[in-house]
């Protein structure tokens, strides 16, 4: 017989639960405090993977036992982006403050899709801060999303509505006489092409404009592509500029793109996934000049902003277009002037998600507790570390720089015969050593070791460790090869 009073998921004994909770919190503080003593990354053995094959049990397990499992089987085998030696992909390091804020958000368990509640007021406050950072008008709209991939997708959809009108949502692109085409550079992130694909426009309709020697979009080629498409009867509608390209950290010529977009009446989008937050650092912000003219900006707080995953953001200059793209009336989502259903429009009117977590809270805590100035210093510091690494490479006879260092990403290689396979081996050896974890890319057919410095915990000693280990593995491979 079910006893209704016993069917709650709250603990029967809050006192012992409280102690377990404090132990878990201490466990994660210990983990963060002692990161440096652990390898950046280690691979799971076959037995360690088999742990995850077990079927779900129908019976309850003890919280402490499940937590111990987590600490033993998961924590040591994560990607390692919290670690100071992580220089792999464009990953933020997270912070202890962000971790605490995530816990608070989970306790509150707010569904920030809509309704009259303070969490939405907080998200609106963050929108106002973002508006002020990028000198956007007060009428701009914005939304927390998973990440820049989603934010880029939203920007393509909003630009489509701005170009073809709201009716396109009902009619569909198949019934439109106009064939939309978009532009981005050949160094742009793949999520732009994916956004075109998901929007039903097709990635073939995205022109990949060649880049100059600094990996920036070539403006002459861009203007020519637009004019050729217009001659062919197509409808150019969207240009995506990049601030901080994934490969080398390049920044497209924003003001020139803004001029051309305004001349041709195209939507000017900025994929500033990581680079847009350079606006927080006074010494870097001038390089972003022109971003304030964008029609939309996509960026992540979870990369350079160090907010725990996930915390992407889309900012749209003309908020009406964003509303026109997503607002959908439904009887169970009716709005009122008072009561819980007040406060329309809601976040669910500005993007595809209805139920949404409280991403704004960890971002608010991060910005408030560390402060804009400090976060800017952390960002600028990773660029200083990148310059130090660049110098080390240029001074070392066995190392060769492969791309300009605009921000915080350094591409280089070990000099040797047959450099591509040897450098690929070096990167795997570095990752498996647990000392440092760079990633790889290919630039003009040259295989590059790519050190992307995002972690606020990274110091000069980690840069030196990368240089020393690269040279030592390189030598070893040449001798054994
Ligand atoms: C990381 C990145 C993306 C994708 O962002 P997610 O948050 O991973 O979805 C898009 N563009 C650029 C330039 C990036 O660095």
């Amino acid at each position: 017989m079910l006893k209704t009073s016993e069917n709650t998921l709250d603990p029967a004994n809050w006192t012992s639960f409280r102690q377990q909770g404090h132990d878990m919190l201490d466990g994660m503080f210990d983990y963060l405090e002692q990161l440096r003593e652990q390898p950046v990354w280690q691979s799971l053995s076959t037995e360690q993977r088999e742990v995850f094959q077990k079927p779900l049990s129908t019976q309850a397990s003890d919280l402490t036992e499940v937590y111990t499992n987590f600490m033993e089987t998961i924590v040591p085998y994560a990607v390692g982006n919290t670690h100071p030696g992580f220089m792999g992909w464009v990953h933020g390091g997270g912070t202890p403050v962000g971790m605490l804020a995530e816990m608070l958000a989970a306790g509150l368990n707010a569904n920030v899709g809509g309704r009259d509640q303070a969490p939405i007021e907080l998200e609106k406050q963050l929108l106002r801060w973002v508006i002020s950072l990028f000198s956007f008008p007060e009428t701009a709209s914005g939304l927390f999303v998973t990440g820049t991939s989603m934010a880029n997708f939203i920007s393509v959809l909003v630009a489509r509505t701005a170009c073809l009108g709201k009716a396109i949502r009902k009619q569909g692109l198949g019934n439109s006489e106009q064939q939309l085409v978009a532009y981005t550079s050949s160094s742009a992130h793949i999520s732009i092409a994916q956004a075109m694909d998901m929007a039903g426009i097709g990635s073939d309709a995205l022109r990949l404009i060649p880049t100059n020697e600094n990996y920036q979009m070539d403006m002459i080629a861009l203007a020519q592509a637009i004019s050729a498409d217009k001659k062919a009867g197509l409808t150019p509608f969207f240009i995506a500029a990049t601030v901080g390209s994934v490969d080398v950290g390049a920044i497209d010529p924003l003001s020139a793109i803004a001029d051309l977009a305004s001349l041709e009446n195209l939507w000017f989008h900025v994929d500033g996934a990581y680079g847009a937050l350079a606006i927080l650092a006074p010494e870097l912000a001038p390089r972003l000049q022109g971003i304030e003219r964008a029609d939309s900006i996509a960026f992540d707080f979870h990369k350079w902003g160090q907010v725990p995953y996930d915390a992407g953001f889309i900012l749209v200059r003309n908020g009406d277009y964003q509303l026109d793209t997503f607002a959908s009336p439904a009887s169970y989502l009716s709005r009122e002037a008072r009561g819980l259903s007040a406060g329309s429009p809601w976040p669910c009117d500005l993007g595809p998600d209805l139920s949404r977590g409280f991403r704004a809270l960890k971002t608010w805590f991060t910005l408030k507790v560390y402060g804009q100035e400090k976060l800017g210093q952390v960002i600028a510091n990773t660029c200083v570390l990148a310059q130090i690494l660049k110098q080390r490479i240029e001074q070392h006879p066995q190392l060769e720089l492969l791309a300009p260092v605009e921000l915080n990403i350094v591409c280089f290689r070990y000099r040797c015969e047959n450099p591509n396979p040897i450098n690929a081996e070096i990167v795997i050896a570095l990752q498996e050593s647990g000392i440092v974890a760079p990633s790889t890319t290919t630039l003009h057919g040259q295989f590059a070791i790519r050190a992307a410095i995002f972690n606020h915990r990274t110091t000069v000693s980690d840069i030196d460790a990368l240089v020393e280990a690269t040279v030592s593995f390189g030598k070893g491979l040449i001798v054994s090869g």
Side-chain angles (χ1 to χ4, degrees):
M1 183 73 145
L2 279 176
K3 288 204 196 126
T4 52
S5 62
E6 284 176 8
N7 272 297
T8 174
L9 299 175
D10 283 335
N13 180 342
W14 276 100
T15 308
S16 64
F17 184 83
R18 196 178 289 262
Q19 191 51 53
Q20 283 174 313
H22 290 170
D23 290 347
M24 287 165 73
L25 196 56
D26 278 339
M28 285 316 275
F29 285 151
D30 289 344
Y31 160 78
L32 291 174
E33 196 181 357
Q34 292 153 20
L35 274 172
R36 229 173 226 296
E37 287 131 58
Q38 303 302 318
V40 181
W41 173 82
Q42 52 189 323
S43 165
L44 290 100
S45 67
T46 309
E47 299 85 73
Q48 284 155 344
R49 273 179 226 280
E50 275 166 6
V51 166
F52 301 101
Q53 302 291 331
K54 289 185 193 154
L56 176 63
S57 108
T58 54
Q59 298 305 306
S61 308
D62 180 58
L63 172 62
T64 303
E65 187 190 315
V66 178
Y67 162 67
T68 306
N69 256 313
F70 163 73
M71 289 308 261
E72 287 171 358
T73 66
I74 298 175
V75 170
Y77 307 101
V79 160
N81 51 306
T82 51
H83 195 286
F86 186 88
M87 302 168 189
W89 296 264
V90 179
H91 284 17
T95 67
V97 167
M99 167 184 139
L100 292 176
E102 269 293 65
M103 184 186 71
L104 302 183
L108 189 61
N109 193 30
N111 181 343
V112 193
R115 304 196 169 80
D116 192 16
Q117 51 170 325
I120 291 186
E121 295 304 321
L122 186 78
E123 186 160 342
K124 286 184 186 162
Q125 178 175 40
L126 275 142
L127 168 63
R128 282 190 287 274
W129 291 356
V130 167
I131 282 175
S132 136
L133 275 180
F134 294 107
S135 310
F136 262 45
E138 272 171 34
T139 47
S141 62
L143 193 68
F144 274 95
V145 291
T146 40
T148 293
S149 302
M150 177 56 92
N152 283 336
F153 178 41
I154 290 176
S155 76
V156 166
L157 293 174
V158 175
R160 173 216 56 183
T161 308
C163 177
L164 300 178
K166 206 171 151 176
I168 197 68
R169 289 177 62 189
K170 274 175 78 176
Q171 293 159 0
L173 285 170
N175 293 315
S176 170
E177 314 239 293
Q178 313 206 48
Q179 241 179 296
L180 299 179
V181 274
Y183 309 84
T184 197
S185 95
S186 55
S187 321
H189 194 266
I190 196 67
S191 56
I192 310 271
Q194 219 171 7
M196 291 287 286
D197 151 14
M198 294 190 295
I201 305 168
S203 52
D204 277 355
L206 179 67
R207 310 285 185 244
L208 297 180
I209 307 300
T211 54
N212 64 20
E213 69 286 0
N214 291 321
Y215 296 86
Q216 302 169 301
M217 186 147 40
D218 181 317
M219 290 309 295
I220 294 170
L222 173 61
Q224 282 169 349
I226 294 171
S227 117
D229 283 329
K230 280 165 81 178
K231 271 203 196 101
L234 305 175
T235 306
F237 82 113
F238 180 85
I239 307 176
T242 301
V243 170
S245 66
V246 271
D247 268 353
V248 305
I251 302 172
D252 280 332
L254 302 178
S255 295
I257 295 174
D259 287 343
L260 188 62
S262 119
L263 185 75
E264 297 281 0
N265 201 19
L266 306 192
W267 188 275
F268 168 34
H269 173 68
V270 171
D271 174 353
Y274 89 81
L277 282 185
I279 203 92
L280 293 172
E283 55 271 69
L284 300 174
R287 299 193 211 166
L288 272 52
Q289 209 185 359
I291 199 169
E292 72 287 349
R293 294 171 63 193
D295 290 302
S296 53
I297 305 175
F299 69 97
D300 287 321
F301 284 105
H302 58 220
K303 289 176 173 173
W304 246 353
Q306 313 291 335
V307 172
Y309 285 91
D310 47 32
F313 202 88
I314 177 70
L315 177 67
V316 178
R317 172 177 303 277
N318 184 334
D320 289 342
Y321 288 135
Q322 193 174 1
L323 207 55
D324 282 351
T325 304
F326 293 103
S328 303
S331 57
Y332 47 85
L333 294 176
S334 71
R335 317 299 163 94
E336 307 291 344
R338 284 167 44 218
L340 253 169
S341 294
S344 180
W346 293 339
C348 67
D349 299 319
L350 299 170
D353 292 320
L354 176 55
S355 293
R356 303 169 66 243
F358 194 7
R359 296 185 180 104
L361 188 68
K362 57 192 170 186
T363 310
W364 185 72
F365 263 89
T366 302
L367 288 167
K368 293 269 288 182
V369 174
Y370 295 109
Q372 184 177 329
E373 196 178 291
K374 179 73 184 179
L375 292 170
Q377 283 167 7
V378 164
I379 287 170
N381 187 56
T382 62
C383 297
V384 172
L385 289 172
Q387 290 302 326
I388 292 172
L389 175 55
K390 179 188 170 201
Q391 280 169 12
R392 299 272 200 278
I393 291 162
E394 285 173 339
Q395 286 160 4
H396 202 293
Q398 281 308 120
L399 300 177
E400 178 184 7
L401 193 70
L402 291 181
V405 181
E406 173 69 27
L407 294 170
N408 58 335
I409 298 180
V410 183
C411 292
F412 67 106
R413 67 177 173 184
Y414 183 75
R415 285 184 204 267
C416 55
E417 265 178 58
N418 224 352
N420 287 6
I422 296 284
N423 278 277
E425 281 298 321
I426 291 174
V427 170
I428 292 172
L430 288 169
Q431 293 171 351
E432 288 179 342
S433 76
I435 303 168
V436 284
S439 59
T440 66
T441 191
T442 304
L443 303 165
H444 304 302
Q446 296 178 326
F447 185 95
I449 303 175
R450 172 170 165 280
I453 303 160
F454 281 90
N455 196 309
H456 56 94
R457 304 178 176 105
T458 304
T459 64
V460 177
S461 67
D462 301 295
I463 301 297
D464 289 336
L466 170 67
V467 170
E468 279 160 30
T470 301
V471 173
S472 134
F473 283 124
K475 275 186 192 147
L477 282 160
I478 301 294
V479 170
S480 68

